[in-house]
mmCIF file of all heavy atoms in Angstrom:
data_model
loop_
_atom_site.group_PDB
_atom_site.id
_atom_site.type_symbol
_atom_site.label_atom_id
_atom_site.label_comp_id
_atom_site.label_asym_id
_atom_site.label_seq_id
_atom_site.Cartn_x
_atom_site.Cartn_y
_atom_site.Cartn_z
ATOM 1 N N LEU A 1 5.566 17.367 0.034
ATOM 2 C CA LEU A 1 5.752 16.815 1.380
ATOM 3 C C LEU A 1 7.053 17.332 2.003
ATOM 4 O O LEU A 1 7.081 17.716 3.176
ATOM 5 C CB LEU A 1 5.772 15.285 1.318
ATOM 6 C CG LEU A 1 4.453 14.616 0.922
ATOM 7 C CD1 LEU A 1 4.680 13.145 0.610
ATOM 8 C CD2 LEU A 1 3.414 14.759 2.033
ATOM 9 N N LEU A 2 8.128 17.350 1.226
ATOM 10 C CA LEU A 2 9.407 17.807 1.756
ATOM 11 C C LEU A 2 9.371 19.290 2.115
ATOM 12 O O LEU A 2 10.106 19.730 3.009
ATOM 13 C CB LEU A 2 10.514 17.537 0.745
ATOM 14 C CG LEU A 2 10.879 16.060 0.524
ATOM 15 C CD1 LEU A 2 11.908 15.922 -0.589
ATOM 16 C CD2 LEU A 2 11.412 15.440 1.814
ATOM 17 N N ALA A 3 8.525 20.056 1.453
ATOM 18 C CA ALA A 3 8.434 21.479 1.746
ATOM 19 C C ALA A 3 7.937 21.748 3.162
ATOM 20 O O ALA A 3 8.134 22.844 3.692
ATOM 21 C CB ALA A 3 7.517 22.173 0.735
ATOM 22 N N ARG A 4 7.309 20.759 3.799
ATOM 23 C CA ARG A 4 6.843 20.930 5.177
ATOM 24 C C ARG A 4 7.977 20.797 6.183
ATOM 25 O O ARG A 4 7.796 21.074 7.361
ATOM 26 C CB ARG A 4 5.723 19.933 5.499
ATOM 27 C CG ARG A 4 4.484 20.034 4.623
ATOM 28 C CD ARG A 4 4.003 21.477 4.437
ATOM 29 N NE ARG A 4 4.024 22.269 5.640
ATOM 30 C CZ ARG A 4 3.043 22.310 6.535
ATOM 31 N NH1 ARG A 4 1.945 21.601 6.333
ATOM 32 N NH2 ARG A 4 3.133 23.063 7.606
ATOM 33 N N ARG A 5 9.124 20.331 5.741
ATOM 34 C CA ARG A 5 10.338 20.279 6.565
ATOM 35 C C ARG A 5 10.149 19.483 7.853
ATOM 36 O O ARG A 5 10.570 19.900 8.940
ATOM 37 C CB ARG A 5 10.834 21.695 6.883
ATOM 38 C CG ARG A 5 11.179 22.496 5.638
ATOM 39 C CD ARG A 5 11.800 23.833 5.984
ATOM 40 N NE ARG A 5 12.109 24.603 4.781
ATOM 41 C CZ ARG A 5 13.198 24.431 4.044
ATOM 42 N NH1 ARG A 5 14.089 23.510 4.399
ATOM 43 N NH2 ARG A 5 13.406 25.175 2.970
ATOM 44 N N ALA A 6 9.492 18.348 7.744
ATOM 45 C CA ALA A 6 9.394 17.439 8.888
ATOM 46 C C ALA A 6 10.733 16.762 9.108
ATOM 47 O O ALA A 6 11.576 16.683 8.214
ATOM 48 C CB ALA A 6 8.307 16.401 8.631
ATOM 49 N N ARG A 7 10.945 16.268 10.296
ATOM 50 C CA ARG A 7 12.193 15.552 10.572
ATOM 51 C C ARG A 7 12.294 14.311 9.699
ATOM 52 O O ARG A 7 13.338 14.018 9.119
ATOM 53 C CB ARG A 7 12.261 15.155 12.049
ATOM 54 C CG ARG A 7 13.491 14.310 12.379
ATOM 55 C CD ARG A 7 13.417 13.740 13.778
ATOM 56 N NE ARG A 7 13.584 14.785 14.780
ATOM 57 C CZ ARG A 7 13.417 14.584 16.086
ATOM 58 N NH1 ARG A 7 13.032 13.399 16.513
ATOM 59 N NH2 ARG A 7 13.606 15.564 16.937
ATOM 60 N N LEU A 8 11.194 13.546 9.594
ATOM 61 C CA LEU A 8 11.167 12.350 8.754
ATOM 62 C C LEU A 8 9.960 12.423 7.842
ATOM 63 O O LEU A 8 8.846 12.705 8.294
ATOM 64 C CB LEU A 8 11.103 11.080 9.613
ATOM 65 C CG LEU A 8 10.981 9.752 8.847
ATOM 66 C CD1 LEU A 8 12.273 9.469 8.068
ATOM 67 C CD2 LEU A 8 10.670 8.597 9.784
ATOM 68 N N THR A 9 10.176 12.173 6.555
ATOM 69 C CA THR A 9 9.095 12.107 5.575
ATOM 70 C C THR A 9 9.106 10.725 4.948
ATOM 71 O O THR A 9 10.155 10.254 4.503
ATOM 72 C CB THR A 9 9.269 13.173 4.484
ATOM 73 O OG1 THR A 9 9.254 14.480 5.080
ATOM 74 C CG2 THR A 9 8.147 13.087 3.461
ATOM 75 N N VAL A 10 7.954 10.070 4.926
ATOM 76 C CA VAL A 10 7.820 8.733 4.342
ATOM 77 C C VAL A 10 6.762 8.810 3.244
ATOM 78 O O VAL A 10 5.604 9.136 3.514
ATOM 79 C CB VAL A 10 7.410 7.685 5.404
ATOM 80 C CG1 VAL A 10 7.282 6.306 4.758
ATOM 81 C CG2 VAL A 10 8.417 7.644 6.546
ATOM 82 N N LEU A 11 7.169 8.502 2.011
ATOM 83 C CA LEU A 11 6.247 8.473 0.868
ATOM 84 C C LEU A 11 6.205 7.064 0.306
ATOM 85 O O LEU A 11 7.232 6.520 -0.114
ATOM 86 C CB LEU A 11 6.687 9.465 -0.213
ATOM 87 C CG LEU A 11 5.897 9.415 -1.529
ATOM 88 C CD1 LEU A 11 4.412 9.672 -1.286
ATOM 89 C CD2 LEU A 11 6.452 10.417 -2.529
ATOM 90 N N LEU A 12 5.016 6.475 0.306
ATOM 91 C CA LEU A 12 4.806 5.125 -0.203
ATOM 92 C C LEU A 12 3.751 5.190 -1.300
ATOM 93 O O LEU A 12 2.684 5.788 -1.109
ATOM 94 C CB LEU A 12 4.328 4.188 0.908
ATOM 95 C CG LEU A 12 5.151 4.183 2.203
ATOM 96 C CD1 LEU A 12 4.450 3.356 3.270
ATOM 97 C CD2 LEU A 12 6.549 3.650 1.956
ATOM 98 N N THR A 13 4.028 4.576 -2.454
ATOM 99 C CA THR A 13 3.036 4.544 -3.529
ATOM 100 C C THR A 13 2.832 3.109 -3.990
ATOM 101 O O THR A 13 3.787 2.361 -4.199
ATOM 102 C CB THR A 13 3.461 5.423 -4.718
ATOM 103 O OG1 THR A 13 4.797 5.091 -5.112
ATOM 104 C CG2 THR A 13 3.397 6.890 -4.354
ATOM 105 N N ASP A 14 1.560 2.744 -4.126
ATOM 106 C CA ASP A 14 1.172 1.411 -4.587
ATOM 107 C C ASP A 14 0.209 1.597 -5.751
ATOM 108 O O ASP A 14 -0.586 2.545 -5.766
ATOM 109 C CB ASP A 14 0.506 0.633 -3.454
ATOM 110 C CG ASP A 14 0.527 -0.873 -3.671
ATOM 111 O OD1 ASP A 14 0.948 -1.291 -4.768
ATOM 112 O OD2 ASP A 14 0.130 -1.619 -2.747
ATOM 113 N N ALA A 15 0.279 0.710 -6.716
ATOM 114 C CA ALA A 15 -0.578 0.824 -7.909
ATOM 115 C C ALA A 15 -1.107 -0.539 -8.305
ATOM 116 O O ALA A 15 -0.770 -1.082 -9.357
ATOM 117 C CB ALA A 15 0.206 1.451 -9.054
ATOM 118 N N PRO A 16 -1.954 -1.164 -7.453
ATOM 119 C CA PRO A 16 -2.444 -2.507 -7.755
ATOM 120 C C PRO A 16 -3.214 -2.550 -9.067
ATOM 121 O O PRO A 16 -3.981 -1.647 -9.393
ATOM 122 C CB PRO A 16 -3.362 -2.824 -6.569
ATOM 123 C CG PRO A 16 -2.952 -1.882 -5.494
ATOM 124 C CD PRO A 16 -2.481 -0.650 -6.182
ATOM 125 N N ALA A 17 -3.028 -3.621 -9.811
ATOM 126 C CA ALA A 17 -3.732 -3.806 -11.089
ATOM 127 C C ALA A 17 -4.015 -5.290 -11.290
ATOM 128 O O ALA A 17 -3.450 -6.140 -10.590
ATOM 129 C CB ALA A 17 -2.893 -3.262 -12.245
ATOM 130 N N TYR A 18 -4.890 -5.602 -12.228
ATOM 131 C CA TYR A 18 -5.205 -6.991 -12.591
ATOM 132 C C TYR A 18 -5.768 -7.787 -11.415
ATOM 133 O O TYR A 18 -5.271 -8.842 -11.062
ATOM 134 C CB TYR A 18 -3.960 -7.703 -13.143
ATOM 135 C CG TYR A 18 -3.408 -7.078 -14.379
ATOM 136 C CD1 TYR A 18 -2.200 -6.398 -14.338
ATOM 137 C CD2 TYR A 18 -4.092 -7.123 -15.589
ATOM 138 C CE1 TYR A 18 -1.683 -5.793 -15.471
ATOM 139 C CE2 TYR A 18 -3.582 -6.522 -16.727
ATOM 140 C CZ TYR A 18 -2.379 -5.865 -16.655
ATOM 141 O OH TYR A 18 -1.874 -5.261 -17.762
ATOM 142 N N ARG A 19 -6.806 -7.266 -10.829
ATOM 143 C CA ARG A 19 -7.450 -8.034 -9.771
ATOM 144 C C ARG A 19 -8.073 -9.289 -10.369
ATOM 145 O O ARG A 19 -8.768 -9.228 -11.389
ATOM 146 C CB ARG A 19 -8.525 -7.192 -9.094
ATOM 147 C CG ARG A 19 -9.225 -7.927 -7.972
ATOM 148 C CD ARG A 19 -10.391 -7.128 -7.431
ATOM 149 N NE ARG A 19 -11.080 -7.854 -6.381
ATOM 150 C CZ ARG A 19 -12.299 -7.562 -5.964
ATOM 151 N NH1 ARG A 19 -12.962 -6.564 -6.520
ATOM 152 N NH2 ARG A 19 -12.862 -8.258 -5.001
ATOM 153 N N VAL A 20 -7.824 -10.410 -9.728
ATOM 154 C CA VAL A 20 -8.318 -11.688 -10.233
ATOM 155 C C VAL A 20 -9.381 -12.239 -9.280
ATOM 156 O O VAL A 20 -9.201 -12.254 -8.075
ATOM 157 C CB VAL A 20 -7.162 -12.706 -10.379
ATOM 158 C CG1 VAL A 20 -7.707 -14.072 -10.770
ATOM 159 C CG2 VAL A 20 -6.167 -12.214 -11.415
ATOM 160 N N LEU A 21 -10.501 -12.669 -9.846
ATOM 161 C CA LEU A 21 -11.552 -13.336 -9.087
ATOM 162 C C LEU A 21 -11.779 -14.715 -9.700
ATOM 163 O O LEU A 21 -11.642 -14.886 -10.916
ATOM 164 C CB LEU A 21 -12.845 -12.515 -9.132
ATOM 165 C CG LEU A 21 -12.815 -11.175 -8.390
ATOM 166 C CD1 LEU A 21 -14.110 -10.422 -8.617
ATOM 167 C CD2 LEU A 21 -12.585 -11.393 -6.900
ATOM 168 N N PRO A 22 -12.165 -15.705 -8.951
ATOM 169 C CA PRO A 22 -12.387 -15.671 -7.495
ATOM 170 C C PRO A 22 -11.077 -15.585 -6.715
ATOM 171 O O PRO A 22 -10.002 -15.756 -7.280
ATOM 172 C CB PRO A 22 -13.098 -17.008 -7.247
ATOM 173 C CG PRO A 22 -12.529 -17.907 -8.292
ATOM 174 C CD PRO A 22 -12.361 -17.048 -9.511
ATOM 175 N N GLU A 23 -11.195 -15.334 -5.408
ATOM 176 C CA GLU A 23 -10.013 -15.222 -4.561
ATOM 177 C C GLU A 23 -9.249 -16.544 -4.582
ATOM 178 O O GLU A 23 -9.824 -17.628 -4.527
ATOM 179 C CB GLU A 23 -10.406 -14.875 -3.126
ATOM 180 C CG GLU A 23 -11.263 -13.622 -3.007
ATOM 181 C CD GLU A 23 -10.534 -12.363 -3.450
ATOM 182 O OE1 GLU A 23 -9.337 -12.448 -3.752
ATOM 183 O OE2 GLU A 23 -11.174 -11.305 -3.501
ATOM 184 N N MET A 24 -7.926 -16.435 -4.664
ATOM 185 C CA MET A 24 -7.090 -17.611 -4.820
ATOM 186 C C MET A 24 -6.573 -18.177 -3.503
ATOM 187 O O MET A 24 -6.161 -19.327 -3.430
ATOM 188 C CB MET A 24 -5.885 -17.269 -5.701
ATOM 189 C CG MET A 24 -6.237 -16.857 -7.123
ATOM 190 S SD MET A 24 -6.940 -18.240 -8.072
ATOM 191 C CE MET A 24 -8.688 -17.884 -7.961
ATOM 192 N N LEU A 25 -6.582 -17.348 -2.448
ATOM 193 C CA LEU A 25 -5.962 -17.745 -1.185
ATOM 194 C C LEU A 25 -6.918 -17.499 -0.030
ATOM 195 O O LEU A 25 -7.896 -16.744 -0.165
ATOM 196 C CB LEU A 25 -4.671 -16.945 -0.963
ATOM 197 C CG LEU A 25 -3.548 -17.154 -1.992
ATOM 198 C CD1 LEU A 25 -2.431 -16.152 -1.767
ATOM 199 C CD2 LEU A 25 -3.015 -18.579 -1.925
ATOM 200 N N PRO A 26 -6.660 -18.095 1.135
ATOM 201 C CA PRO A 26 -7.486 -17.801 2.313
ATOM 202 C C PRO A 26 -7.397 -16.317 2.654
ATOM 203 O O PRO A 26 -6.466 -15.619 2.223
ATOM 204 C CB PRO A 26 -6.859 -18.667 3.411
ATOM 205 C CG PRO A 26 -6.096 -19.723 2.688
ATOM 206 C CD PRO A 26 -5.632 -19.118 1.410
ATOM 207 N N PRO A 27 -8.337 -15.807 3.436
ATOM 208 C CA PRO A 27 -8.326 -14.376 3.768
ATOM 209 C C PRO A 27 -7.006 -13.962 4.412
ATOM 210 O O PRO A 27 -6.418 -14.696 5.212
ATOM 211 C CB PRO A 27 -9.499 -14.223 4.742
ATOM 212 C CG PRO A 27 -10.399 -15.369 4.420
ATOM 213 C CD PRO A 27 -9.507 -16.497 4.014
ATOM 214 N N TYR A 28 -6.547 -12.775 4.050
ATOM 215 C CA TYR A 28 -5.320 -12.244 4.630
ATOM 216 C C TYR A 28 -5.584 -11.757 6.048
ATOM 217 O O TYR A 28 -6.595 -11.098 6.317
ATOM 218 C CB TYR A 28 -4.803 -11.068 3.788
ATOM 219 C CG TYR A 28 -3.740 -10.264 4.493
ATOM 220 C CD1 TYR A 28 -2.420 -10.708 4.529
ATOM 221 C CD2 TYR A 28 -4.052 -9.073 5.141
ATOM 222 C CE1 TYR A 28 -1.438 -9.980 5.193
ATOM 223 C CE2 TYR A 28 -3.083 -8.335 5.793
ATOM 224 C CZ TYR A 28 -1.778 -8.798 5.819
ATOM 225 O OH TYR A 28 -0.816 -8.076 6.489
ATOM 226 N N ARG A 29 -4.691 -12.091 6.958
ATOM 227 C CA ARG A 29 -4.779 -11.603 8.329
ATOM 228 C C ARG A 29 -3.421 -11.038 8.723
ATOM 229 O O ARG A 29 -2.413 -11.728 8.610
ATOM 230 C CB ARG A 29 -5.188 -12.717 9.294
ATOM 231 C CG ARG A 29 -6.577 -13.286 9.013
ATOM 232 C CD ARG A 29 -7.049 -14.203 10.129
ATOM 233 N NE ARG A 29 -8.344 -14.757 9.819
ATOM 234 C CZ ARG A 29 -8.552 -15.946 9.259
ATOM 235 N NH1 ARG A 29 -7.507 -16.698 8.966
ATOM 236 N NH2 ARG A 29 -9.764 -16.370 9.011
ATOM 237 N N PRO A 30 -3.379 -9.800 9.183
ATOM 238 C CA PRO A 30 -2.093 -9.219 9.584
ATOM 239 C C PRO A 30 -1.552 -9.919 10.816
ATOM 240 O O PRO A 30 -2.303 -10.543 11.575
ATOM 241 C CB PRO A 30 -2.446 -7.756 9.889
ATOM 242 C CG PRO A 30 -3.904 -7.780 10.214
ATOM 243 C CD PRO A 30 -4.500 -8.870 9.378
#
């Protein structure tokens, strides 16, 4: 990504694990 030489580079990594069912909370709303 940095090799593209953009003014701003944003790298975000997420690695969710251990999904639990049934859902514990009301639906998420942004």
Side-chain angles (χ1 to χ4, degrees):
L1 293 168
L2 290 175
R4 300 314 317 274
R5 300 186 181 278
R7 176 190 289 172
L8 176 68
T9 300
V10 180
L11 173 58
L12 309 172
T13 51
D14 201 353
Y18 299 110
R19 181 187 178 197
V20 174
L21 292 175
E23 305 296 355
M24 297 293 99
L25 297 171
Y28 166 80
R29 297 190 182 96

